[in-house]
Amino acid sequence: MLAAYLGEKDFRDGLRFYLKKHAYGNAATTDLWAAFEEISGKPVRSMMQNWTRKPGYPFVRLSEKGDNLQLTQQRYFSSSVAARTEKDTTVWSIPLSVSTEKTKKPSAYFMDKKSLHIPKLQKDEWVKLNTGETSVIRVDYPSRYLERLQQPISEKKLDVIDRFGIIRDAFDLSQTGYLPTSEALALVSHYMQEDNYIVWSEIASQLGTIKNLISERPYFEQFTAFGETLFTPLAHDLGWEKKKGEPHTHILLRSLALSQAGLYGSKEIIKEAQTLFGKLQKEQMAIDADIRGVVYNLVAKSGGEKEYKLLENMYLAESMQEEKERLSKALCFFTDKKLLKKALEFSFSENVRLQDSFIMVTYVWLNPKGKELAWEF
């Protein structure tokens, strides 16, 4: 954040000045801020005061006021209870860059008060606050402004880091209650053309949180169908095998897409995982290490006593710890509660290292069918 605010040259020169001035001596954090301030001429000391001495960080809410847009800041809480009860009045000094549909270069603002006004947009023009995600904030858009971002997201007119920031903020703010979760889910549908692992990883993580929360709700099946629709096309595009010349991040993305598609119920993906596992048992072929864990997990999720015994025996016969970790995780993916109970008991047997025992309990806990079992255990 500070480097983006000062610029590369002033940030680098400020560090050099600080190191030279305090060489062979003692220094405090404020000395570093003073060095940056002297080189850049910007109010670094007052800016960094609340960032380093006060808890938390802000979120910025966008609204309309007259002929301008109004930005208002307040402290962000991930807990909806804390958001209602805490009376934190901290005002942060926020370097803020703003991009719009019509501007070629982001506009820079310095928000050191509770509110800031910026020029109003043209009709139906989209706006992206915190361009480049350089400031440690969350951004709250009104529904119609969030809808305007759908097209630049789906057409990738926004950079990867901005596409990531928008969906992260939407889910984080829905967790607190500032944004309806339905709006965050509607936004996800416009990421179908996304091909970046970091963005998909964030989406998978956020959807996974919701999935665990609603596992006992009557609309759980509708949610899993939504997840399957979201991840299966991506899994098909990437396939099960590496492609020549593909980005190295596709290795991670492939594993993520196949895993999520299968866990959300894609019969085709699950069937292929079972086929690969069958070939492994017959020693006809090996499974690439990058997707081996995916295969084990999907076989477990769709399997029963037979598959549990196979995976457990593979764990006992394995000498490589990395492979043991894949297998122990798979033992926690079954949906039969009797098998999950066996996995919990196995986790504290002499066959499992103590530092791995708690990891297995955690995986059972994260399994919607195993939450109560893990708690009782």
Side-chain angles (χ1 to χ4, degrees):
M1 178 176 71
L2 185 57
Y5 172 57
L6 298 179
E8 183 179 335
K9 183 179 184 302
D10 282 351
F11 185 77
R12 182 179 62 243
D13 291 347
L15 281 176
R16 287 172 175 165
F17 178 78
Y18 165 77
L19 292 171
K20 186 175 181 179
K21 184 176 181 178
H22 298 283
Y24 311 108
N26 295 325
T29 305
T30 50
D31 293 321
L32 178 60
W33 305 151
F36 282 132
E37 188 167 303
E38 183 165 339
I39 294 298
S40 67
K42 294 180 178 179
V44 177
R45 281 180 287 192
S46 60
M47 169 188 164
M48 296 305 296
Q49 181 75 12
N50 286 341
W51 285 107
T52 57
R53 293 182 178 273
K54 293 291 187 73
Y57 58 90
F59 78 92
V60 175
R61 174 168 283 158
L62 175 70
S63 61
E64 294 178 345
K65 189 169 185 179
D67 294 331
N68 295 314
L69 294 178
Q70 178 173 274
L71 308 180
T72 308
Q73 64 162 292
Q74 65 186 79
R75 183 178 170 185
Y76 169 75
F77 291 96
S78 61
S79 164
S80 58
V81 175
R84 291 194 304 269
T85 58
E86 293 290 333
K87 305 298 180 183
D88 192 316
T89 58
T90 302
V91 175
W92 285 267
S93 296
I94 307 171
L96 194 62
S97 55
V98 180
S99 299
T100 69
E101 187 174 358
K102 305 298 182 182
T103 56
K104 294 182 179 180
K105 185 178 179 181
S107 300
Y109 298 92
F110 190 70
M111 188 177 183
D112 58 354
K113 293 181 173 61
K114 187 77 174 176
S115 297
L116 173 71
H117 294 89
I118 63 176
K120 196 171 184 179
L121 307 173
Q122 297 182 29
K123 186 179 179 182
D124 298 330
E125 184 181 4
W126 58 258
V127 58
K128 169 65 175 70
L129 303 186
N130 198 21
T131 305
E133 297 297 309
T134 52
S135 290
V136 187
I137 64 172
R138 296 289 180 267
V139 178
D140 184 18
Y141 297 96
S143 297
R144 62 184 177 279
Y145 283 89
L146 201 57
E147 289 173 3
R148 291 177 193 176
L149 287 168
Q150 293 173 355
Q151 185 178 355
I153 287 171
S154 61
E155 296 179 0
K156 299 181 187 174
K157 292 180 179 178
L158 293 167
D159 288 342
V160 169
I161 188 64
D162 289 317
R163 300 197 301 269
F164 164 82
I166 291 168
I167 196 63
R168 177 206 60 204
D169 289 0
F171 275 112
D172 283 358
L173 289 164
S174 68
Q175 181 179 342
T176 308
Y178 295 120
L179 181 76
T181 305
S182 57
E183 291 190 20
L185 292 172
L187 187 63
V188 169
S189 300
H190 295 273
Y191 282 81
M192 296 290 286
Q193 303 304 315
E194 183 59 59
D195 58 1
N196 184 271
Y197 169 73
I198 298 299
V199 178
W200 275 115
S201 179
E202 179 67 18
I203 292 172
S205 175
Q206 297 281 8
L207 292 181
T209 298
I210 297 174
K211 184 181 178 183
N212 279 331
L213 287 172
I214 66 171
S215 60
E216 303 299 327
R217 302 285 183 171
Y219 44 81
F220 182 67
E221 288 187 9
Q222 291 174 280
F223 183 80
T224 55
F226 171 74
E228 182 184 350
T229 302
L230 191 66
F231 286 102
T232 300
L234 180 64
H236 284 159
D237 288 345
L238 292 165
W240 289 84
E241 297 180 0
K242 296 176 185 176
K243 297 179 177 64
K244 187 176 180 180
E246 69 179 5
H248 70 277
T249 52
H250 273 27
I251 295 173
L252 298 171
L253 185 57
R254 176 176 293 105
S255 176
L256 176 75
L258 291 170
S259 176
Q260 293 295 313
L263 293 175
Y264 278 107
S266 172
K267 294 180 180 178
E268 184 180 346
I269 299 296
I270 292 172
K271 185 177 179 180
E272 181 61 23
Q274 292 170 332
T275 300
L276 291 172
F277 189 69
K279 291 180 179 179
L280 175 66
Q281 296 303 309
K282 295 176 183 178
E283 298 184 356
Q284 293 180 358
M285 62 169 285
I287 302 175
D288 190 291
D290 295 321
I291 61 167
R292 206 177 298 157
V294 176
V295 171
Y296 295 161
N297 294 343
L298 296 184
V299 165
K301 184 174 174 60
S302 59
E305 184 75 42
K306 176 186 174 183
E307 287 75 17
Y308 182 92
K309 197 63 182 175
L310 284 171
L311 290 168
E312 184 181 70
N313 287 338
M314 289 171 66
Y315 180 94
L316 295 173
E318 184 57 54
S319 58
M320 281 188 59
Q321 187 57 36
E322 183 180 7
E323 184 71 358
K324 278 182 173 290
E325 289 173 4
R326 294 191 187 100
L327 292 162
S328 64
K329 181 178 179 180
L331 290 173
C332 306
F333 270 70
F334 287 88
T335 57
D336 187 331
K337 291 187 177 181
K338 292 181 180 178
L339 297 178
L340 291 178
K341 190 173 181 181
K342 287 181 67 174
L344 287 169
E345 292 168 352
F346 180 75
S347 70
F348 276 88
S349 70
E350 61 182 12
N351 300 303
V352 179
R353 299 187 311 177
L354 186 60
Q355 59 264 45
D356 297 331
S357 301
F358 299 98
I359 296 174
M360 289 187 67
V361 175
T362 301
Y363 281 128
V364 175
W365 179 282
L366 293 172
N367 185 331
K369 298 293 184 181
K371 283 188 291 188
E372 294 297 329
L373 290 174
W375 175 252
E376 291 169 4
F377 184 77

